């Protein structure tokens, strides 16, 4: 990616600007306590597993159990976030996590926890977190104005990493002095302030004249949007690769503390704290990095630094050198993930924000989960030093991926276009009437044919990610100036959603294509109700007309299709 691009800067007055908004500040502070509890629980769970088994594979599976749910249920969770009240969904999600943490506390107190049961309950807690994450992330835009959104996203990462800088050390002390059961109990209790903060949030629901999508169709809509959004696909692939390779540093840290540094729970907590401290430092440096570097250059710098840190951890035999390497690793890890997160948030319109963030979280957490299992297996077979060295080497090579999939530029979030009036129709339609077929006829000068066809490629992606399918563009062989764009929507309601989802930049693509139209007549739009053979019935009041035939023939210029 070119280094001469316009700098990518935070809006507002810096990274602390979102804290001026009461709702965000209240939820952020409560989330900080919740994150501290989660890190204390992670220390307790990982160290409890090291006491029950000597297998590096089983220890690494603790991280897998906590992150795998994100990959498995992220897209349904994102659909739920976009379909329902995000405040209510967050409260239900917290209830699931609280139940899992409470059960783990009780069973640990009764000395009934086994390795399998520990993994299962970690999976339950992780499922609650996985359900909440896309809801929480996509609700940030409802708590702060658009210019403060990048800083708010970064602050959410800062919250987690402030917790990472103190939670693990605190967790190590708690586990060493009071046992894992105290860590699990504190984790459960620290979910309560966040529940209270969410109850105090007076969320203003945005009303819609259309009913919400069905759950299964909402998932399909999210997948369709992502697959037709090149910028989001690139971020997802890069984040998954980073998670798979870099997951070794988190998954194997208990083994580093035990086998390389010959320490205990407190040593493990100190290592996690060093990583978290680095992440806080990295978060504070993000605005400066975005001013100086493009997205691709910043990710390249982060991955190269991360690779060097992994190698240093593998070769170090002292706590000070290992901690210093982890501070650097935490800083660049934080910067990379904030850039990935902001890239998705600013690329997705509001109607699909939850599902886009869910896909990002599934890619990143799924990568960490898969990588944790793989690095644990390699550590069992070849040793933790070898596993970390291999991970470091792959991380040093990962910037080569940018030659094929360069990071998109992070710009301002595209605001939704104004809602359009529904087209006039001459048939009695219900929301389920369909499929709808839309044909748009253009006349394009012969010398502009190639440029028009290129412009229509952007229109195609726009139509498809907003709900259309079966898109095509055809040129009349008998009249080469005549072009017909054609696409389908499943139902009448789906069509109304599709035509009102276009952002300002997508509407600009449509206008760019329409600018090639020539002739005295405007672009012609025809909307038709497709009828399979045998489904057309005669209308009793008009035997000369079929029911459910042509919907509308519209020649109004400048209307969205």
């Amino acid at each position: 990616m070119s280094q001469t691009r316009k700098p990518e800067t935070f809006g507002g007055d810096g990274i602390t600007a979102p804290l001026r908004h009461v709702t965000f500040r209240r939820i952020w502070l409560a989330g900080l306590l919740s994150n501290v509890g989660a890190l204390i629980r992670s220390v307790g769970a990982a160290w409890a597993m090291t006491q029950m088994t000597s297998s590096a594979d089983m220890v690494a599976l603790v991280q897998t159990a906590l992150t795998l749910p994100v990959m498995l249920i992220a897209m349904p969770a994102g659909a739920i976030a976009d379909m329902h009240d995000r405040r209510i969904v967050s409260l239900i999600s917290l209830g699931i996590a609280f139940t899992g943490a409470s059960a783990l506390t009780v069973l640990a107190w009764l000395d009934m926890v086994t390795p399998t049961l520990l993994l299962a309950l970690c999976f339950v807690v992780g499922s609650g977190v996985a359900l909440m994450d896309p809801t929480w992330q996509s609700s940030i835009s409802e708590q702060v104005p658009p210019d403060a959104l990048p800083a708010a996203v970064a602050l959410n990462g800062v919250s987690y990493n402030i917790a990472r800088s103190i939670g693990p050390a605190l967790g190590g002390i708690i586990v060493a002095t009071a046992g894992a059961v105290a860590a699990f109990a504190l984790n459960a209790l620290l979910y309560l302030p966040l529940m209270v903060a969410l109850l105090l949030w007076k969320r203003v629901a945005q009303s819609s004249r259309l009913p919400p999508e069905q759950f299964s169709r909402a998932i399909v809509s999210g997948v369709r949007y992502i697959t037709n959004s090149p910028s989001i696909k690139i971020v997802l692939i890069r984040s998954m690769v980073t998670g798979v390779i870099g997951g070794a540093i988190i998954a194997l840290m208990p083994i580093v503390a035990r086998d390389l540094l010959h320490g205990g729970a407190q040593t493990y907590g100190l290592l996690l704290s060093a990583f978290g401290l680095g992440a806080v430092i990295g978060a504070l440096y993000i605005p400066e990095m975005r001013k100086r570097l493009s997205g691709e250059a910043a990710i390249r710098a982060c991955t190269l630094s991360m690779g060097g840190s992994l190698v240093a951890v593998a070769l170090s035999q002292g706590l000070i050198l290992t901690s210093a390497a982890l501070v650097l690793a935490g800083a660049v890890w934080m910067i990379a993930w904030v850039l990935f997160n902001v890239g998705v948030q600013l690329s997705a319109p509001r109607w699909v924000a939850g599902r886009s963030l869910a896909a990002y979280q599934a890619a990143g957490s799924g990568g960490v989960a898969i990588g944790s299992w793989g690095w644990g297996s390699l550590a069992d077979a070849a040793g933790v030093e070898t596993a970390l060295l291999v991970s470091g080497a792959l991380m040093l090579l990962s910037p080569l991926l940018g030659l094929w999939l360069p990071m998109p530029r992070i710009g301002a979030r595209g605001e939704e276009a104004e809602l359009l009036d529904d087209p006039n129709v001459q048939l009695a339609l219900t929301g389920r009437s369909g499929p709808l077929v839309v044909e748009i006829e253009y006349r394009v000068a012969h010398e502009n044919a190639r440029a028009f066809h290129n412009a229509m490629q952007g229109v195609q992606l726009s139509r498809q990610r907003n709900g259309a399918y079966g898109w095509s563009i055809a040129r009349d062989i008998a009249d080469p100036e005549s072009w017909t764009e054609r696409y389908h929507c499943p139902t009448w309601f789906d069509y109304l959603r599709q035509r009102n989802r276009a952002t300002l930049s997508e509407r600009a693509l449509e206008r760019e294509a329409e600018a090639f139209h020539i002739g005295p007549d405007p672009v012609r739009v025809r909307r038709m109700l497709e009828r399979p053979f045998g489904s057309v019935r005669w209308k009793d009041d008009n035997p000369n007309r079929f029911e459910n035939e042509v919907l509308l023939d519209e020649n109004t210029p400048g209307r969205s299709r």
Side-chain angles (χ1 to χ4, degrees):
M1 184 174 287
S2 173
Q3 302 299 308
T4 62
R5 288 184 171 177
K6 186 179 179 180
E8 303 167 0
T9 60
F10 281 102
D13 298 321
I15 197 169
T16 60
L19 294 176
R20 299 173 185 172
H21 303 275
V22 176
T23 297
F24 178 83
R25 181 171 67 248
R26 185 186 292 136
I27 294 175
W28 186 85
L29 290 172
L32 174 59
L33 294 177
S34 175
N35 287 331
V36 169
L39 268 296
I40 291 173
R41 179 210 59 228
S42 296
V43 173
W47 198 254
M49 185 66 81
T50 64
Q51 301 306 298
M52 288 186 285
T53 176
S54 61
S55 170
D57 189 23
M58 290 297 291
V59 175
L61 280 176
V62 172
Q63 185 67 27
T64 299
L66 290 169
T67 55
L68 186 61
V70 178
M71 182 177 67
L72 297 179
I73 69 173
M75 189 55 70
I80 292 172
D82 287 330
M83 293 170 61
H84 302 289
D85 189 315
R86 288 167 177 163
R87 172 176 164 271
I88 301 301
V89 174
S90 295
L91 286 168
I92 293 172
S93 305
L94 280 174
I96 295 172
F98 176 79
T99 300
S102 299
L104 186 57
T105 302
V106 173
L107 292 173
W109 181 61
L110 296 174
D111 199 23
M112 296 175 60
V113 175
T114 64
T116 301
L117 188 57
L118 177 61
L119 293 176
L121 289 173
C122 284
F123 186 87
V124 171
V125 175
S127 296
V129 174
L131 181 60
M132 182 177 176
D133 272 352
T135 306
W136 192 357
Q137 293 284 342
S138 58
S139 69
I140 295 175
S141 61
E142 300 176 19
Q143 301 166 24
V144 299
D147 65 335
L149 181 60
V153 172
L155 273 177
N156 259 12
V158 170
S159 170
Y160 180 76
N161 286 288
I162 290 176
R164 194 195 291 263
S165 67
I166 61 176
L170 183 59
I173 295 172
I174 291 172
V175 171
T177 57
V181 63
F184 300 149
L186 190 56
N187 170 223
L189 289 174
L190 289 178
Y191 281 127
L192 298 179
L194 185 53
M195 292 182 179
V196 173
L198 289 169
L199 287 171
L200 293 174
W201 178 20
K202 305 300 182 183
R203 180 176 183 265
V204 179
Q206 293 183 342
S207 59
S208 174
R209 56 192 175 85
L210 296 176
E213 294 178 279
Q214 295 179 353
F215 180 66
S216 58
R217 186 161 290 173
I219 295 176
V220 172
S221 296
V223 173
R224 179 179 56 231
Y225 186 90
I226 292 163
T227 56
N228 287 285
S229 177
S231 60
I232 293 181
K233 283 196 298 184
I234 289 173
V235 174
L236 296 188
I237 294 171
R238 297 293 294 272
S239 62
M240 174 168 273
V241 170
T242 301
V244 169
I245 300 174
I249 194 68
I250 299 173
L252 298 179
M253 211 175 293
I255 312 301
V256 171
R258 187 188 67 184
D259 295 351
L260 295 186
L261 301 180
H262 309 291
Q266 289 180 319
T267 301
Y268 173 48
L270 288 173
L271 294 183
L272 282 174
S273 295
F275 190 87
L277 175 62
V280 173
I281 295 171
L284 297 176
Y285 186 69
I286 288 172
E288 186 66 23
M289 176 167 278
R290 292 187 67 199
K291 289 178 183 179
R292 296 179 178 275
L293 299 175
S294 67
E296 178 59 33
I299 293 298
R300 186 184 307 127
C302 289
T303 51
L304 290 174
S305 300
M306 187 74 177
S309 299
L310 283 161
V311 172
V313 172
L315 299 178
S316 171
Q317 299 295 319
L319 178 60
I320 294 178
L321 178 58
T322 300
S323 298
L326 289 175
V327 169
L328 175 59
V332 296
W333 183 260
M334 174 66 182
I335 293 170
W337 288 105
V338 168
L339 292 176
F340 290 145
N341 191 315
V342 172
V344 172
Q345 290 231 36
L346 298 185
S347 297
R350 194 179 303 278
W351 71 268
V352 76
R355 282 161 282 187
S356 299
L357 283 166
Y360 155 72
Q361 289 163 352
S365 297
V368 171
I370 294 170
S372 296
W373 171 79
W375 297 120
S377 298
L378 181 59
D380 266 340
V384 65
E385 301 97 328
T386 300
L388 289 171
L389 286 172
V390 172
S391 174
L394 291 176
M395 189 64 78
L396 290 171
L397 292 174
S398 65
L400 295 176
L401 189 61
L403 300 176
W404 174 44
L405 296 172
M407 283 288 293
R409 183 184 181 277
I410 301 173
R413 182 174 189 160
E415 290 300 311
E416 312 293 338
E418 72 281 1
L419 294 178
L420 303 174
D421 293 333
D422 294 344
N424 296 320
V425 298
Q426 302 300 318
L427 291 176
L429 298 175
T430 68
R432 299 175 61 185
S433 298
L436 267 292
V437 183
V438 181
E439 290 185 350
I440 307 172
E441 299 174 1
Y442 307 85
R443 293 200 67 82
V444 180
H446 180 74
E447 62 271 18
N448 292 329
R450 182 176 294 277
F452 172 74
H453 186 267
N454 291 338
M456 291 303 294
Q457 306 314 302
V459 173
Q460 175 188 4
L461 291 177
S462 171
R463 306 268 199 228
Q464 290 179 163
R465 60 177 166 253
N466 288 329
Y469 69 92
W471 187 94
S472 65
I473 184 74
R475 190 179 188 185
D476 192 330
I477 60 175
D479 183 6
E481 288 188 344
S482 177
W483 294 74
T484 302
E485 178 191 4
R486 181 183 175 94
Y487 61 89
H488 295 68
C489 289
T491 68
W492 175 240
F493 275 169
D494 287 313
Y495 171 68
L496 295 180
R497 293 189 187 98
Q498 183 270 335
R499 74 193 299 267
N500 282 294
R501 283 172 172 169
T503 62
L504 293 176
S505 59
E506 290 171 331
R507 294 273 166 85
L509 289 174
E510 296 173 12
R511 290 193 296 271
E512 180 185 347
E514 291 172 2
F516 288 97
H517 180 73
I518 60 174
D521 297 323
V523 172
R524 184 184 185 189
V525 182
R526 302 178 70 220
R527 303 177 179 90
M528 297 169 285
L529 191 63
E530 187 173 74
R531 295 289 85 190
F533 179 77
S535 67
V536 179
R537 301 186 298 275
W538 292 97
K539 294 187 70 171
D540 294 337
D541 60 343
N542 187 355
N544 297 318
R545 182 178 177 184
F546 284 112
E547 181 185 11
N548 297 339
E549 200 180 15
V550 175
L551 282 179
L552 179 67
D553 187 332
E554 181 183 332
N555 288 315
T556 306
R559 291 285 298 274
S560 175
R561 313 309 176 202

